[in-house]
């Protein structure tokens, strides 16, 4: 294995986390917080930003230390580094807004075991320079936040008839309560995946028929 | 039923607040290893064992942390204990059931990052359960996890024979199934109060 890390930073370094390798919709990582806290758009946003912060800081530290961490104990080291930053986030959110802290519950502390963070530490931060890691982690974090918002917005609009706590439809709207409850999380994420898969397939079909036309 | 009686804690963890279907903990193995019944059941048992070990350790650690008033180290020490417990299970399985060890593959070490386990340790701390209650809570959570993953595996084995439209196959279908199961488990909410 060549030890020389890639140094160039391209647009793709940033954008792969946003779309092509979106952690939630494509890689299906870190599903637990995605489904658990996405019942309102506000919670989704807070959770997304908290995760982005941990991704960024732990990625940066691991990238700096990557040549000092022995290979055998790397996972344990990563976990301890991640746990440290999560503790910081935990106390910070508690200080900023107690309401938000109570709404997110144990899921702030559970960022430690979010597969995305450990996955990126292992797959990217441990092999790349600081600058590249920071750019990539920002993209991944924003991709995660975006996915959470996609789910959170749909669930809040359908389940409470509101967006960011602002009433949308007036008193005549009968809220679809199941969307805020656990089953709604599964179903809405399933629907999003279905839509993406459908789009991907119809694009592939279109490309194929284009080819056939060319050949004819 | 008293909210802190042992039977209530057990039922609560298995059915009412099922870790997978109501609290969304441990979804990665729930979606990843539920393809076949043969692997789903042992995965449930392994998770239950790790839950028991880490719950016991977490109880001890919490006593020490409270004694020295250093609760901010809770997260770090819990995760370290869980990682070692998983390592233990991994070594035991490799020695005694190598075939199973290979079948579970990457998902065995990933029990470390299974939020159900850390979640269990954190919840029992928040709820201030005593030692016996923590133990029952851990067993209940393990049984609940096994129940959910086995149900899911049974459904998916049946569905693999069904003729499903192309775009729905894969993750989307699993999530929908999870949603239906979760909906079914909501019926147990009538058994007791929330949490």
């Amino acid at each position: 294995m060549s030890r020389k890390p890639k140094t160039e930073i391209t647009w793709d370094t940033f954008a792969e986390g946003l779309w092509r390798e979106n952690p939630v919709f494509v890689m299906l990582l870190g599903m637990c917080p995605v489904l658990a806290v996405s019942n309102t758009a506000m919670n989704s946003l807070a959770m997304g930003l908290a995760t982005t912060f941990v991704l960024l800081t732990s990625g940066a530290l691991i990238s700096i230390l990557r040549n000092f961490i022995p290979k055998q104990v790397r996972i344990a080291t990563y976990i301890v580094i991640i746990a440290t930053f999560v503790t910081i986030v935990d106390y910070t959110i508690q200080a900023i807004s107690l309401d938000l802290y109570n709404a997110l519950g144990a899921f702030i502390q559970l960022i430690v075991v979010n597969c995305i963070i450990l996955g990126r530490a292992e797959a990217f931060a441990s092999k790349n320079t600081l600058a590249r890691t920071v750019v990539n982690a920002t993209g991944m974090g924003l991709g995660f936040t975006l996915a959470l918002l996609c789910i959170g917005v749909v669930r809040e609009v359908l389940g409470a008839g509101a967006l960011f706590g602002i009433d949308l439809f007036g008193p005549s709207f009968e809220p679809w309560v199941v969307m805020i409850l656990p089953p709604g999380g599964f179903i809405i994420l399933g629907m999003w995946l279905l839509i993406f898969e459908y789009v991907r397939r119809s694009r592939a079909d279109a490309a194929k028929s284009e080819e056939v036309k060319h050949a004819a | 039923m008293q909210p802190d009686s042992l039977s209530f804690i057990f039922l609560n963890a298995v059915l009412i607040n099922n870790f997978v279907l109501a609290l969304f903990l441990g979804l990665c193995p729930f979606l990843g290893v539920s393809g076949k019944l043969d692997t789903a059941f042992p995965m449930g048992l392994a998770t239950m064992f790790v839950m028991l070990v880490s719950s016991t350790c977490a109880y001890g650690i919490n006593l020490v942390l409270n004694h020295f008033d250093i609760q901010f180290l809770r997260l770090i020490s819990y995760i370290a204990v869980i990682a070692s417990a998983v390592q233990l299970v991994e070594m035991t399985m490799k020695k005694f059931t190598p075939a199973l060890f290979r079948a579970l593959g990457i998902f065995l070490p990933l029990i470390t990052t299974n939020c159900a386990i850390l979640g269990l340790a954190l919840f029992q701390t928040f709820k201030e359960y005593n030692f016996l209650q923590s133990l029952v809570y851990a067993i209940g959570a393990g049984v609940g996890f096994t129940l959910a993953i086995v149900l899911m595996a049974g459904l998916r084995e049946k569905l693999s024979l069904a003729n499903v439209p192309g775009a729905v196959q894969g993750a989307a279908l699993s999530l929908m199934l999870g949603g239906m199961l979760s909906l079914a488990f909501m019926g147990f909410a009538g058994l007791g109060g929330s949490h």
Side-chain angles (χ1 to χ4, degrees):
Chain A
M1 205 175 99
S2 67
R3 291 270 67 200
K4 190 106 176 82
K6 276 202 233 167
T7 47
E8 81 274 27
I9 299 167
T10 58
W11 170 243
D12 198 49
T13 317
F14 175 71
E16 72 166 7
L18 278 183
W19 180 249
R20 192 166 46 79
E21 283 191 32
N22 186 296
V24 178
F25 290 140
V26 180
M27 297 200 288
L28 291 179
L29 287 177
M31 310 282 273
C32 311
V34 169
L35 295 180
V37 301
S38 63
N39 50 0
T40 69
M42 194 61 215
N43 288 355
S44 305
L45 190 64
M47 189 67 193
L49 293 181
T51 310
T52 308
F53 173 78
V54 177
L55 254 175
L56 199 65
T57 46
S58 62
L61 190 59
I62 289 167
S63 175
I64 293 170
L65 294 175
R66 69 181 186 282
N67 294 327
F68 301 101
I69 300 173
K71 204 170 176 330
Q72 294 82 357
V73 293
R74 65 183 194 287
I75 301 286
T77 318
Y78 297 163
I79 287 273
V80 170
I81 291 174
I82 294 167
T84 313
F85 285 112
V86 172
T87 310
I88 295 173
V89 170
D90 187 51
Y91 280 86
T92 312
I93 294 185
Q94 207 170 349
I96 295 174
S97 161
L98 205 57
D99 287 340
L100 192 62
Y101 183 79
N102 290 333
L104 294 179
F107 277 93
I108 302 171
Q109 305 200 358
L110 287 175
I111 295 178
V112 179
V113 285
N114 190 327
C115 328
I116 299 171
I117 297 176
L118 192 62
R120 292 319 286 175
E122 170 79 358
F124 203 93
S126 61
K127 298 191 186 87
N128 287 284
T129 55
L130 177 63
R132 251 174 85 87
T133 307
V134 167
V135 172
N136 185 266
T138 314
M140 277 286 163
L142 288 182
F144 182 73
T145 313
L146 199 69
L148 258 172
L149 266 179
C150 283
I151 301 168
V153 165
V154 174
R155 283 180 76 182
E156 194 178 353
V157 168
L158 291 181
L163 192 58
F164 288 103
I166 301 160
D167 208 10
L168 288 182
F169 302 118
S172 60
F173 178 74
E174 184 66 40
W176 199 358
V177 179
V178 77
M179 285 304 156
I180 302 188
L181 296 172
F186 281 110
I187 292 169
I188 295 294
L189 181 56
M191 289 288 182
W192 276 110
L193 290 178
L194 191 63
I195 293 170
F196 285 134
E197 182 67 19
Y198 182 75
V199 170
R200 202 182 59 79
R201 272 171 190 258
S202 44
R203 266 196 200 160
D205 283 351
K208 212 181 275 171
S209 59
E210 193 76 2
E211 243 168 56
V212 173
K213 247 186 238 163
H214 264 281
Chain B
M1 270 189 290
Q2 292 297 315
D4 48 356
S5 72
L6 292 182
S7 54
F8 181 80
I9 290 174
F10 182 77
L11 267 185
N12 186 31
V14 177
L15 298 176
I16 305 166
N17 282 311
N18 184 291
F19 265 56
V20 181
L21 298 170
L23 300 181
F24 296 118
L25 296 168
L27 284 177
C28 303
F30 177 67
L31 296 173
V33 198
S34 61
K36 276 203 309 249
L37 266 177
D38 298 348
T39 46
F41 189 61
M43 184 67 193
L45 290 188
T47 309
M48 177 148 69
F49 178 74
V50 177
M51 276 178 170
L52 258 178
V53 174
S54 52
S55 149
T56 317
C57 297
Y59 182 77
I61 289 174
N62 195 39
L63 285 185
V64 176
L65 292 182
N66 280 340
H67 184 259
F68 292 106
D69 207 20
I70 43 173
Q71 284 92 342
F72 60 90
L73 283 180
R74 189 185 284 146
L75 207 52
I76 297 180
S77 42
Y78 279 10
I79 197 78
V81 166
I82 292 170
S84 348
V86 171
Q87 196 79 56
L88 193 74
V89 172
E90 213 183 326
M91 287 190 301
T92 322
M93 272 198 160
K94 202 173 184 177
K95 178 107 171 67
F96 293 109
T97 52
L100 191 58
F101 177 77
R102 277 192 300 275
L104 290 178
I106 180 70
F107 284 99
L108 198 55
L110 278 185
I111 295 183
T112 312
T113 50
N114 183 338
C115 18
I117 308 220
L118 185 63
L120 173 82
L122 290 174
F123 286 150
Q124 76 176 34
T125 314
F126 293 151
K127 293 180 179 179
E128 295 174 348
Y129 282 156
N130 63 30
F131 182 66
L132 200 59
Q133 285 170 327
S134 315
L135 220 53
V136 171
Y137 192 50
I139 296 173
V143 171
F145 181 82
T146 313
L147 183 68
I149 200 171
V150 165
L151 278 177
M152 185 73 171
L155 286 174
R156 282 181 65 179
E157 275 195 353
K158 288 261 185 235
L159 263 180
S160 64
L161 302 172
N163 189 9
V164 184
V168 195
Q169 277 164 8
L173 184 64
S174 309
L175 279 165
M176 293 290 174
L177 268 183
M180 294 302 139
L181 272 180
S182 167
L183 205 55
F185 267 68
M186 264 177 65
F188 291 117
L191 273 178
S194 62
H195 287 286

